[in-house]
């Protein structure tokens, strides 16, 4: 048994989240709690999504400015993304955690 105190508004939010998945609150909460407990801080899928975003953002800027995008530039951009993607993913995840603590 695991318990948590929530406000009436938070409880309704939890009920709604469970209902949208066709589950009871207890079933939904168990799945969410276990998934989060088992989730690694270095979630590979999330890291690769952030890496893709980084690459797209870096590619869009020169395209918008009408600058040529050479194969060398792409190679360097991809190398930079490989070097920085884990740090960037951790920063994004921390932003989500901070937002959740601040009440969104």
């Amino acid at each position: 048994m695991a318990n948590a105190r929530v406000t009436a508004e938070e409880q309704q939010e939890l009920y709604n989240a469970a209902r949208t998945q066709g589950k009871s609150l207890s079933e939904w909460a168990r799945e969410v709690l276990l998934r989060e407990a088992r989730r690694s801080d270095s979630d590979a899928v999330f890291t690769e999504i952030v890496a893709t975003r980084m690459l797209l953002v870096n590619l869009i800027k020169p395209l918008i400015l009408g600058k040529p995008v050479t194969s060398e530039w792409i190679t360097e951009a991809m190398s930079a993304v490989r070097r920085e993607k884990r740090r960037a993913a951790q920063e994004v995840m921390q932003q989500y955690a901070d937002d959740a603590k601040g009440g969104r």
Side-chain angles (χ1 to χ4, degrees):
M1 185 67 99
N3 296 311
R5 290 189 189 274
V6 295
T7 66
E9 182 180 297
E10 290 168 335
Q11 185 173 16
Q12 188 59 51
E13 194 175 344
L14 297 174
Y15 276 118
N16 291 342
R19 188 176 19 245
T20 61
Q21 293 186 19
K23 298 178 181 177
S24 68
L25 177 57
S26 60
E27 177 185 20
W28 177 85
R30 181 179 187 277
E31 289 178 9
V32 170
L33 289 170
L34 288 173
R35 181 178 61 237
E36 287 302 305
R38 295 170 179 160
R39 184 176 57 82
S40 168
D41 286 340
S42 58
D43 184 333
V45 174
F46 183 77
T47 299
E48 292 305 318
I49 290 170
V50 170
T52 302
R53 183 180 80 170
M54 290 169 66
L55 190 58
L56 285 172
V57 167
N58 288 329
L59 181 60
I60 288 171
K61 184 177 179 181
L63 291 175
I64 289 173
L65 297 174
K67 295 182 179 180
V69 178
T70 65
S71 61
E72 292 83 17
W73 183 91
I74 291 172
T75 300
E76 177 52 38
M78 290 177 71
S79 293
V81 168
R82 271 197 238 53
R83 282 191 310 271
E84 298 295 323
K85 67 183 177 183
R86 286 175 188 81
R87 181 192 54 76
Q90 288 174 341
E91 288 177 5
V92 171
M93 190 59 74
Q94 187 61 51
Q95 289 170 357
Y96 278 109
D98 292 347
D99 289 349
K101 288 177 189 172
R104 290 177 262 246

